[in-house]
Each structure stands twice: as C-alpha cells, then as structure tokens.
Amino acid sequence: KELNELFEENQQFWANPPIYYLSVLEGVLDSLRSIGNYDEMPYFLNKLQKLSTDTPLEFKINVICLLFQYELFPHLDKGDFSKCIEIISHYKENLYDKESWLNPIRKSELLLYTAIVHIGNHDFKQAKKYISNTILDHNLRYLPIMRTIRLVRLIAYYEIQDFELIKHESFSEDSARKKNNLSRQNTSYSIFSINAISLYLKRTERPYGKSYLRKLIACIMINMRISY
C-alpha cells in the first residue's frame, strides 16, 4: 500500500494512459493471489476501478478485464463456480461485448477463464464456445498460456464427444516430439498436461460429481501460475 500511495502522490509523472501504474497494480494483485491473501485485494481493485474512468477506450477495456479477472479469481480458486457465473453475467455488457478492444493475450485469458468456469459448471457446450474462440495466432503459440488453452480445449471437446480435435492434438504432439527428438516430458504440454489429460480421459466413473472437476481445475490454475 505504501508503494501505491507513492504513485498516487506523484500523478504528474504518470504516462497517459498510466500503463506502468496499471502493471504495478497487476503485479501486486498477482502476488496477493499467489499467497492466497484475497482479503487485501479489494483495496487495489478499487484503484483499478478508478483507472477505468476518463481513459482511452482500449486502455479502459483492458483495465476492466483485469478488474474482472481479480474479482473472479478468489471464487475460481475456491471452486465456487456459481458465484463465478454471477460475475461473468455482471461483466457481459462492459467487457464481453467489447472484447475486440482487448490485446491478444488479455482476450485469450478472458476466454480461457470463462471456459474453465463453464467446465466447472458442467456446461461443456458453452466451454467449447469460448475456448474455441481463443486467439491462436503465431505470436501466442509458444507462450505458457497456450498449453493450458490446449488442455482445456481437449476437456471441452471430449465432454461433448467431438473426438477429431483430440486425435489431431495427439498426432501433432507425437509429430513434434519425433521431429525434435524430444522425450514426451519435454514437449509443449509438459508433464502436468500429459498426466492430467491422461487421467481425465481414462476415468471410468460416470456420472461423476463436480468434485473431480474442482480438483482438475485447481491443478490447471496452479500449473498456470507456475508457468508464467
């Protein structure tokens, strides 16, 4: 809070829009989330909210997306998917309807987290809808987030029994491994991704409760934090 107060006391040095201050707030919120200190988040979320006023539209939408994410995370991390749906609904007009203004990474994160929430609620068609719209351009292909996107896509497509994507992903993974002479552990999915999807596809109990998905999603979220 002392660092934030220092920034606010010297607003004459802020850029327009205040991109660096935004990155500082994001860093603080990420640190609080990583240690599970959700109670301290509202103070900084309030600072984010103030940044979303009287700023250029593109910057404003990206701030709103960040605000959405850190309102969502405490509930997503705890597996409270019903509350997550409420938050998504609250942001439909001022975020989802304007997602074209988001930068590519932020948009991919928005769609990914939304898909994860729908998987947690067993709404796999909606999960497929959002994860299928994730941005898969060349500039994002090798970023850590893409491993998670691919894993979540596999889960969504598997649950609606669309197996063509799964076959394609499996073929692509094997081809990449052979081409680069890599072991299975060193390909883009990583040990976590391979083990998680393998266990998921081989489970035998149906119908199954939400507890399994909660555990899997918790693993996905932890893996994302480690990957960044």
Side-chain angles (χ1 to χ4, degrees), residues 10-228:
N10 293 276
Q11 293 189 24
Q12 68 272 20
F13 299 115
W14 287 11
N16 186 22
I19 297 173
Y20 183 68
Y21 181 46
L22 176 63
S23 68
V24 169
L25 289 175
E26 182 177 7
V28 172
L29 285 165
D30 186 62
S31 297
L32 291 173
R33 183 194 176 203
S34 68
I35 61 175
N37 191 354
Y38 303 114
D39 293 338
E40 293 292 328
M41 282 188 177
Y43 174 85
F44 297 99
L45 290 175
N46 181 54
K47 303 303 178 183
L48 269 183
Q49 182 69 54
K50 292 179 180 179
L51 283 186
S52 66
T53 59
D54 299 325
T55 53
L57 182 59
E58 182 175 358
F59 180 80
K60 176 180 180 178
I61 301 303
N62 280 276
V63 170
I64 291 173
C65 187
L66 195 60
L67 187 63
F68 159 78
Q69 288 181 17
Y70 282 96
E71 284 187 19
L72 184 78
F73 287 151
H75 306 286
L76 183 57
D77 292 345
K78 297 172 184 176
D80 187 354
F81 301 114
S82 297
K83 182 61 179 179
C84 290
I85 290 293
E86 291 181 19
I87 294 171
I88 288 172
S89 299
H90 176 74
Y91 277 89
K92 185 181 184 310
E93 183 177 346
N94 61 351
L95 178 58
Y96 285 87
D97 291 349
K98 298 180 176 67
E99 65 180 38
S100 61
W101 288 92
L102 294 170
N103 66 56
I105 294 177
R106 195 71 76 194
K107 182 176 180 178
S108 293
E109 291 174 345
L110 172 67
L111 299 175
L112 171 61
Y113 296 131
T114 306
I116 290 173
V117 169
H118 286 300
I119 286 174
N121 277 298
H122 286 208
D123 190 346
F124 300 109
K125 288 185 179 180
Q126 280 292 92
K128 178 190 174 183
K129 170 189 169 183
Y130 282 100
I131 204 66
S132 295
N133 288 331
T134 49
I135 299 171
L136 298 174
D137 66 32
H138 181 72
N139 294 323
L140 299 178
R141 274 182 79 176
Y142 301 106
L143 294 181
I145 191 176
M146 296 311 300
R147 294 198 297 268
T148 309
I149 287 173
R150 291 173 66 190
L151 175 60
V152 172
R153 285 175 74 212
L154 285 177
I155 295 171
Y157 275 70
Y158 174 79
E159 286 295 345
I160 61 171
Q161 299 184 17
D162 187 342
F163 300 116
E164 288 303 312
L165 176 75
I166 296 174
K167 292 177 183 177
H168 172 73
E169 289 286 314
S170 178
F171 175 78
S172 299
E173 197 68 21
D174 288 340
S175 297
R177 192 173 71 255
K178 291 174 183 177
K179 180 180 178 181
N180 296 289
N181 194 28
L182 295 173
S183 67
R184 198 166 179 80
Q185 286 84 351
N186 290 323
T187 50
S188 60
Y189 271 119
S190 77
I191 298 173
F192 159 79
S193 301
I194 294 166
N195 289 344
I197 198 64
S198 176
L199 288 171
Y200 187 80
L201 298 182
K202 289 179 180 178
R203 74 189 190 284
T204 56
E205 293 184 6
R206 279 182 175 274
Y208 54 93
K210 289 188 177 182
S211 60
Y212 183 88
L213 284 174
R214 283 197 183 97
K215 292 176 182 177
L216 182 62
I217 289 171
C219 290
I220 291 172
M221 302 305 290
I222 290 169
N223 183 66
M224 288 182 68
R225 295 185 213 174
I226 293 172
S227 297
Y228 276 103

